[in-house]
Amino acid sequence: MKKVIDEKEGRKAFPPYPLALVTIPGSPPNIITAALIHVFSFEPLQIGIGIAPTRYSYELLKVASGFVVNIPTKELLDQVIFCGTKSGRDVNKFEKTRLTDVPAQIVEAPLIDECPVNYECEITQMIETGDHHWFIGEVKVIHKDMNFSRENALCYWAGEFRLPGTLLRHR
Ligand SMILES: Cc1cc2nc3c(=O)[nH]c(=O)nc-3n(C[C@H](O)[C@H](O)[C@H](O)COP(=O)(O)O)c2cc1C
């Protein structure tokens, strides 16, 4: 039996999203935890991040030419929660989390060394959709730890942190 539900319940019905730690240039560079993230184009490869204008990261992104999408594993859950609950207005997140910043090849924002995959993105456009605005970035350089398995990447939605789960079949 189906029921018509309100928007809040409807949001919860969504499957989990991948989770990223996005690094943004600044003094010091900032890190924001973002679950609003998706691939917007394969060719060229473009990744979008949805950032609320209230975030300090938004202020930094408005004047940035790029950002880095860093993929955390389950071992980094504490740091993910820290960067998703504290603001760079008040704390230096690299210092407090002890995550290691490594210079990127082409964008100004640093990579997070502990994240096994890092996408260096150059901002191509910004779309204002509502309470989050989407910064779309063209992927220019991808770094990958060859031991990385996607089974250990984090997903998140509606208050629940998860791992991706069971592989049912290949397409
Ligand atoms: C699991 C999780 C996912 C989040 N996803 C987003 C997101 O996609 N976009 C966003 O603007 N904020 C998101 N947030 C909230 C920000 O990470 C949080 O407000 C952060 O403190 C902002 O930091 P800043 O002020 O340094 O930018 C998320 C928080 C958590 C814990």
Side-chain angles (χ1 to χ4, degrees), residues 45-104:
L45 183 57
Q46 304 221 40
I47 297 178
I49 50 171
I51 303 293
T54 50
R55 316 286 187 234
Y56 176 57
S57 299
Y58 184 88
E59 283 175 34
L60 297 178
L61 278 166
K62 286 286 272 187
V63 293
S65 56
F67 55 82
V68 180
V69 171
N70 302 274
I71 305 297
T73 53
K74 60 182 191 309
E75 290 75 20
L76 297 176
L77 188 51
D78 288 343
Q79 291 89 333
V80 162
I81 292 171
F82 186 89
C83 294
T85 50
K86 300 282 186 256
S87 177
R89 283 190 191 99
D90 310 317
V91 292
N92 177 334
K93 295 194 200 177
F94 269 106
E95 215 170 81
K96 291 283 178 201
T97 56
R98 298 182 174 213
L99 289 168
T100 315
D101 55 325
V102 174

Side-chain angles (χ1 to χ4, degrees), residues 77-149:
L77 188 51
D78 288 343
Q79 291 89 333
V80 162
I81 292 171
F82 186 89
C83 294
T85 50
K86 300 282 186 256
S87 177
R89 283 190 191 99
D90 310 317
V91 292
N92 177 334
K93 295 194 200 177
F94 269 106
E95 215 170 81
K96 291 283 178 201
T97 56
R98 298 182 174 213
L99 289 168
T100 315
D101 55 325
V102 174
Q105 270 182 26
I106 65 144
V107 302
E108 218 188 306
L111 315 179
I112 299 177
D113 199 31
E114 288 80 358
C115 291
V117 188
N118 321 87
Y119 298 91
E120 293 188 30
C121 303
E122 244 174 35
I123 297 172
T124 54
Q125 54 179 310
M126 199 268 273
I127 308 166
E128 299 188 9
T129 45
D131 65 1
H132 286 71
H133 297 178
W134 287 84
F135 292 85
I136 314 294
E138 187 169 326
V139 176
K140 294 295 184 180
V141 185
I142 308 170
H143 308 256
K144 183 183 168 204
D145 177 339
M146 298 318 280
N147 293 319
F148 171 65
S149 156

